[in-house]
Structures are given as structure tokens and as C-alpha cells.
Amino acid sequence: MMDSAIQIINGINWGQFKDLFLTLAAFLSPILALYGVKFTQTNQRMIEKSKLDTEQAKMDIQKKKSYNDFVTSERMKWIHKLREQFADFSAACNEYHLYIRFIKGPEIGLNNTDIEKIKKIQWMASYIQFSLNPNEEKDQLHKDVLKTIRNILDLMEYSHPDNDGYNENFTNHLFSFNEIAAKILKEEWETVKKEMNA
């Protein structure tokens, strides 16, 4: 077996083999060169795509951050404005209540001054209503504060002020309003803090 392998090796014309190898190398060299160029181009495109993807990801992160900063900034302005609205409404209701109890006295019916004061308070109530979003499930506090506002307005419009029940109910509803309003402001501020830490 060993002898036959040696005979085969000895029988090979190494000159022809060398020529065959050189011909094959000459034929394969351009193909390998083209493959190398193609591989380099593909690799370069992948590197460029990776760079573009990285840049796009950075831009997307920056856009998202800018958007989040904008939303947070607008939410802070909204909270500040809502706090003012709540305070103005509460102060106007207190003023109306004191007017009814100590200035107007037991006079029956609404006069022009009463109507103007109620209109002002109704306008404030509407402003608050349009500033809130009571349609989302999570916003039960928004629904509660609007219901309390409605109760206060109903007392102003339909109850006689010369009645201790009126005074007590009015005070209770106004207290509830202030309490719920404070909870809404705290909840919204907690949302802002979460957004700022995200």
C-alpha cells in the first residue's frame, strides 16, 4: 500500500502540476479579489449603517427627551394655573358666603349683586371644569371635585341663605372642595416628579 502511494507521487509530473496550480491561481485570483472587494464594501456598508443607526438612536433619544421636557414643563404650568383657579374659586365662594350671611341678611330672592357674584363663580367653575379631564378612569378626584363644585353652585342658586342648614352645607362642600383640590394638585405634582426622574 505504501509502495503504491510512493509510485503515484513519483509518477506525478511536478512541472505539469505547477503549471496547473499557477493557471488555477491565475483564474482564482481575480475572483478572490472581487470577493475581497465585495466583502470590504459589505462590511463598510454595515459599519456605516451601524453608525447611522447609532446616530438615529441618539436623535430619537434626544427627541423623546425634548418632548418629555416639554410635556413636563407644560404640566408644571398647568398645575400652577390650576392652583390659582382652585384658590380663586374657593376665595370667591367664601366671599359670596360671607356676603349672604352678613351683608345681604335675610332678604329673600336673588338681587342683581347676587346674580353677578354667582355668574363670576360659575365662570370660575367652568374654567376649572375645562382644565380637568374627568373622563379617564384614573381621574376619580377630578370627578369628585366637579361634583362638589356643582353642589356649591346648587346651594348658591336654590337655597335660602337665612337657614342654618345652608351655612353648614355650604361650609362642608367648600371644605370638601379644598380638600379634593389639594389632593389633585399633590397627585399631579407627583406625576411631574416621576417624569423629571424618568
Side-chain angles (χ1 to χ4, degrees), residues 140-197:
Q140 184 59 46
L141 286 174
H142 293 202
K143 292 176 185 173
D144 292 345
V145 83
L146 293 175
K147 182 179 176 187
T148 304
I149 288 172
R150 183 73 257 157
N151 291 337
I152 290 170
L153 294 176
D154 286 347
L155 273 173
M156 289 173 149
E157 294 176 36
Y158 304 114
S159 297
H160 192 277
D162 192 27
N163 175 332
D164 288 338
Y166 170 84
N167 294 320
E168 185 179 342
N169 285 335
F170 193 90
T171 304
N172 288 341
H173 287 311
L174 195 54
F175 180 79
S176 289
F177 169 81
N178 291 335
E179 195 174 58
I180 298 166
K183 286 179 185 174
I184 289 172
L185 293 170
K186 171 125 176 70
E187 189 178 84
E188 294 300 336
W189 181 244
E190 290 301 320
T191 302
V192 165
K193 288 199 297 192
K194 284 179 191 169
E195 287 174 355
M196 290 173 77
N197 292 328

Side-chain angles (χ1 to χ4, degrees), residues 3 39 79 104-105 138 162 183:
D3 289 336
F39 176 77
I79 291 170
K104 182 178 178 183
K138 67 180 182 73
D162 192 27
K183 286 179 185 174

